[in-house]
């Protein structure tokens, strides 16, 4: 039975310059997704999607000390670290990485599902809005989502939608009905439920793939991390970290303002095909040092709970962000 279409699917967001239908569910352009193409996508190695000109500047986690390597690689998924002299170089590499994944997924199944966070990540996406990517990416096949959103009107200064729209979405030709934004007329619980219903419909019609464990499996999540190690709106020691029976949930006591937010749950993040964790600046160095360093502690931060079921996590860091890693990268 088809899932009910949520109000997010039917309502229209009116934002300056962009009367945009939210989460349209037309999927007529999709190519059939065979298990063969999925398997192929899972076998793609990190080096094949990493930009060749920066390969010499990259340090794989396998070159970290043994314990760090073991911890970082874990028992699930793959993990890599790329370190850049400047955020400018990081941004250029992130654009190339994203463009290559876009090409791969569109070739394989005719669509590319991309999730973004708020915060400084959006600024680091700026190179995607420039040549050559502006012209070469098949933006019409993109479907964009938010890993978390603040429960505020879309034209509010705190809105992640506004942040992404102003810094990224308004500059690239993604069809507005493929931009899946929060329904800002609803309360936090209502908006979370509405967003999850919208996702369920997109899974049902094949726009978003379903993971082996039954969660939505996005092609790429572009995430930032807070200086306390939070990802999305999943904060250290918060009970939301344990939610497994929801795809999207809500928080009313976020330690980072504003307090009311909706967020993807950890298993949804861990079901992704690819995750780019973008960390720039000295403010992230302590947590990067803990997450990727030698010392193992039981008190895992949210960012340390990323353990992809069957995907690849790549850290994009600048020098400042890795300045507290035990062995400094030799670039
Ligand atoms: C939010 C974000 C959040 C953000 C991190 C990192 O809505 O608050 O989605 O998860 O990504 O806090 O933000 P900075 O990179 O700005 O520190």
């Amino acid at each position: 039975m088809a899932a009910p279409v949520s109000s997010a699917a039917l309502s229209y967001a009116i934002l300056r310059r962009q009367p945009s239908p939210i989460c349209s569910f037309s999927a007529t352009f999709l190519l059939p997704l065979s298990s063969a193409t999925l398997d192929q996508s899972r076998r793609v190695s990190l080096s094949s999607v990493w930009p060749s000109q920066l390969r010499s500047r990259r340090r794989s986690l396998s070159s970290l000390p043994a314990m760090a390597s073991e911890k970082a690689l874990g028992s699930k998924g793959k993990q890599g670290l790329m370190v850049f002299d400047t955020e400018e170089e990081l941004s250029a590499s992130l654009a190339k990485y994203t463009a290559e994944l876009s090409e791969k997924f569109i070739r394989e199944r005719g669509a590319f599902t991309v999730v973004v966070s708020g915060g400084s990540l959006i600024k680091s996406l700026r190179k995607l809005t420039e040549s050559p990517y502006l012209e070469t990416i098949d933006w019409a096949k993109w479907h964009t989502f938010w890993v978390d959103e603040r429960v505020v009107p879309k034209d509010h200064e705190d809105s992640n939608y506004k942040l992404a729209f102003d810094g990224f979405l308004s500059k690239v030709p993604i069809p507005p009905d493929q931009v899946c934004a929060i329904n800002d007329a609803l309360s936090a619980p209502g908006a979370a439920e509405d967003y999850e219903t919208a996702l369920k419909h997109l899974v049902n019609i094949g726009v978003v793939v379903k993971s082996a464990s039954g969660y939505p499996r996005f092609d790429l999540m572009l995430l930032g991390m807070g200086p306390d190690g939070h990802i999305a709106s999943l904060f250290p020691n918060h009970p939301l970290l344990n939610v497994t029976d929801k795809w999207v949930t809500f928080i009313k006591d976020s330690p980072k303002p504003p307090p009311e937010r909706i967020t993807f749950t950890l298993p949804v993040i861990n079901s992704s095909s690819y995750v780019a964790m973008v960390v720039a600046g000295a403010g992230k160095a302590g947590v990067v040092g803990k997450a990727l360093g030698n010392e193992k502690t039981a008190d895992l931060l949210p960012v340390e709970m990323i353990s992809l079921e069957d995907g690849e996590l790549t850290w994009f860091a600048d020098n400042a962000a890795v300045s507290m890693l035990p062995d400094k990268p030799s670039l």
Side-chain angles (χ1 to χ4, degrees):
M1 192 175 70
V5 176
S6 76
S7 59
L10 301 173
S11 63
Y12 283 73
I14 308 296
L15 181 71
R16 297 165 302 122
R17 293 165 286 148
Q18 196 204 35
S20 52
I22 306 171
C23 301
S24 163
F25 297 133
S26 160
T28 48
F29 55 87
L30 288 180
L31 303 174
L33 177 67
S34 70
S35 56
T37 56
L38 259 185
D39 285 341
Q40 194 184 18
S41 81
R42 286 171 188 153
R43 278 202 299 274
V44 167
S45 71
L46 277 178
S47 58
S48 71
V49 296
W50 279 356
S52 51
Q53 77 273 24
L54 288 170
R55 222 167 265 162
S56 60
R57 309 179 68 83
R58 163 196 114 197
R59 186 179 58 153
S60 157
L61 281 182
S62 57
S63 68
L64 288 174
M67 270 178 73
S69 243
E70 189 188 317
K71 175 183 178 185
L73 293 169
S75 57
K76 289 174 164 185
K78 298 178 193 163
Q79 195 168 178
L81 168 66
M82 296 173 75
V83 181
F84 303 91
D85 281 340
T86 62
E87 192 276 336
E88 184 75 7
E89 289 178 12
L90 184 161
S91 173
S93 177
L94 185 65
K96 189 162 195 295
Y97 167 90
T98 303
E100 289 177 0
L101 286 178
S102 169
E103 197 274 331
K104 165 187 147 56
F105 281 102
I106 291 169
R107 176 172 22 90
E108 288 176 359
R109 67 183 194 90
F112 187 42
T113 54
V114 183
V115 177
V116 296
S117 72
S120 56
L121 177 271
I122 298 299
K123 190 167 164 249
S124 294
L125 297 181
R126 64 190 178 279
K127 301 280 184 196
L128 279 170
T129 70
E130 299 169 5
S131 199
Y133 306 113
L134 185 59
E135 303 85 28
T136 55
I137 286 178
D138 191 353
W139 297 104
K141 306 286 173 43
W142 276 47
H143 296 258
T144 55
F145 304 84
W146 277 264
V147 75
D148 70 336
E149 177 59 287
R150 294 95 179 271
V151 182
V152 293
K154 287 195 190 67
D155 57 358
H156 192 283
E157 280 307 311
D158 284 337
S159 163
N160 281 345
Y161 175 86
K162 175 173 161 46
L163 180 73
F165 181 80
D166 290 348
F168 177 50
L169 296 173
S170 62
K171 302 175 181 179
V172 295
I174 300 171
D177 61 351
Q178 291 169 202
V179 174
C180 195
I182 190 174
N183 183 335
D184 59 356
L186 300 174
S187 64
E193 194 182 331
D194 186 68
Y195 207 92
E196 179 165 321
T197 303
L199 289 186
K200 283 189 171 145
H201 190 78
L202 290 171
V203 166
N204 281 346
I205 63 171
V207 170
V208 177
V209 176
K210 198 170 194 172
S211 77
S213 50
Y215 295 101
R217 175 173 171 80
F218 291 96
D219 299 331
L220 173 64
M221 286 202 183
L222 295 160
L223 303 184
M225 176 196 81
D228 58 354
H230 82 262
I231 50 166
S233 286
L234 301 171
F235 292 88
N237 303 315
H238 197 282
L240 278 198
L241 285 164
N242 303 317
V243 174
T244 56
D245 61 345
K246 293 275 180 200
W247 295 359
V248 186
T249 188
F250 65 94
I251 181 169
K252 289 192 163 187
D253 59 353
S254 164
K256 179 182 178 183
E260 298 206 2
R261 294 147 170 260
I262 69 168
T263 180
F264 283 5
T265 56
L266 198 55
V268 173
I269 294 172
N270 279 333
S271 297
S272 309
S273 292
Y274 291 85
V275 174
M277 179 58 62
V278 179
V279 284
K284 310 288 164 75
V287 172
V288 172
K290 175 173 173 358
L292 301 180
N294 290 330
E295 273 185 35
K296 291 191 176 194
T297 54
D299 59 326
L300 292 182
L301 295 169
V303 72
E304 295 177 278
M305 296 180 188
I306 299 181
S307 175
L308 300 186
E309 192 177 302
D310 182 15
E312 295 181 0
L313 166 62
T314 303
W315 289 73
F316 286 79
D318 67 356
N319 272 336
V322 295
S323 58
M324 290 174 76
L325 265 180
D327 69 327
K328 218 171 168 206
S330 49
L331 294 172

